[in-house]
Amino acid sequence: VPSGEDYKNYMIDCIVNEGGDCSKRAKYKDEQFPQIATIYHKRIPREKQLKYLQEHFLAVKLSENKRKFLDIDWPYIYTLNIDDAIEKNSRYTTVVYSNRELWDDIFETEKCVIKLHGHIQDILVYKDSKCEIFDLPQYVQSLNNNKILLDKLKHDYEFLNLIYIGCSFSNEIDLLSIVSKTSITGNRYYCTIVQPDEDELLMLSEYGITHCIIFDSYEAI
């Protein structure tokens, strides 16, 4: 599965190749993921977009220690990723989609993975799929259309301890909207393999992160 940075670089390559203007590559490198995704979705044929998703986000296999991490009895799991790694490698097999209404008691009866930014199966199967949240218009629409899940996350943000693993927090508009509506109490742990610099620590604090834990590798996490 490509990282957010890998996916962004792929989209930049597609945009540059489509337009034939290599001089814009440096400019695009400085843009955030949602801005690049907006241009990519407008300029690149949908069939090509779907082919890339199909080749990179389906039938994902996890290493043994990552599967063991998912064996912990979490109440449920949020993910910003669209791939099928969690539901294919754990008991969190009930997928909760973004931008949909749902029954609240599903979290009491099923082991759920909450796909805040979309689910690969829905995107590939349905022409009218509305779960994907990558580009700027999708982010803006999600503030209303995804209100049920964002309200749930807001509740958890206020009353539970959260662990974020490997989230880039790069212009995550919906997550920032939650922080802006709550008073920061409780603990939020951020686990990463990259030592944040002073500016990055400042940005993490904007997302309410209270503890930053640095590991040598994702396997170590």
Side-chain angles (χ1 to χ4, degrees), residues 78-81 114 116-117 133 139 142-143 146 149-154 157 162-182 184 188 190 203-209:
Y78 292 98
T79 180
L80 301 182
N81 299 334
I114 303 169
L116 283 176
H117 285 179
I133 302 173
Y139 267 104
S142 76
L143 296 180
N146 207 27
L149 288 184
L150 293 180
D151 282 348
K152 178 172 180 57
L153 182 56
K154 176 177 177 291
Y157 183 92
L162 303 184
I163 303 175
Y164 296 92
I165 299 176
C167 177
S168 67
F169 290 112
S170 177
N171 206 22
E172 300 290 359
I173 299 169
D174 44 7
L175 298 187
L176 274 177
S177 74
I178 291 168
V179 178
S180 68
K181 297 174 184 175
T182 61
I184 297 178
R188 287 156 203 90
Y190 179 58
M203 287 308 301
L204 287 174
S205 70
E206 289 295 311
Y207 286 92
I209 300 300

Side-chain angles (χ1 to χ4, degrees), residues 20-36:
D21 188 355
C22 294
S23 64
K24 288 187 176 181
R25 188 181 298 275
K27 171 191 171 185
Y28 289 144
K29 289 281 188 182
D30 293 332
E31 297 284 359
Q32 298 286 345
F33 186 100
Q35 284 86 338
I36 295 300

Side-chain angles (χ1 to χ4, degrees), residues 38-127:
T38 302
I39 300 170
Y40 175 77
H41 286 164
K42 293 289 186 182
R43 293 191 178 175
I44 304 304
R46 186 60 176 166
E47 292 76 13
K48 184 174 182 178
Q49 296 178 35
L50 293 176
K51 187 174 187 295
Y52 180 82
L53 296 178
Q54 187 173 34
E55 291 175 350
H56 291 86
F57 294 88
L58 276 178
V60 178
K61 296 179 180 179
L62 294 182
S63 60
E64 182 182 1
N65 42 0
K66 290 179 181 178
R67 292 197 304 271
K68 285 183 177 179
F69 186 83
L70 293 171
D71 284 341
I72 298 172
D73 191 23
W74 309 106
Y76 37 83
I77 297 175
Y78 292 98
T79 180
L80 301 182
N81 299 334
I82 67 168
D83 63 74
D84 60 5
I86 295 174
E87 60 268 31
K88 293 291 187 181
N89 293 271
S90 75
R91 55 186 162 160
Y92 299 89
T93 56
T94 299
V95 177
V96 177
Y97 296 86
S98 56
N99 299 329
R100 298 286 299 273
E101 294 189 27
L102 61 132
W103 300 107
D104 291 336
D105 61 357
I106 191 65
F107 300 104
E108 304 297 328
T109 60
E110 301 289 337
K111 301 301 283 186
C112 298
V113 53
I114 303 169
K115 302 275 189 171
L116 283 176
H117 285 179
H119 180 40
I120 183 63
Q121 292 284 0
D122 191 79
I123 294 168
L124 291 177
V125 172
Y126 299 104
K127 286 186 176 182

Side-chain angles (χ1 to χ4, degrees), residues 195-217:
Q195 174 69 55
D197 61 25
E198 186 176 345
D199 291 339
E200 289 166 336
L201 285 172
L202 181 64
M203 287 308 301
L204 287 174
S205 70
E206 289 295 311
Y207 286 92
I209 300 300
T210 59
H211 298 73
C212 188
I213 308 172
I214 314 300
F215 292 81
D216 293 329
S217 67

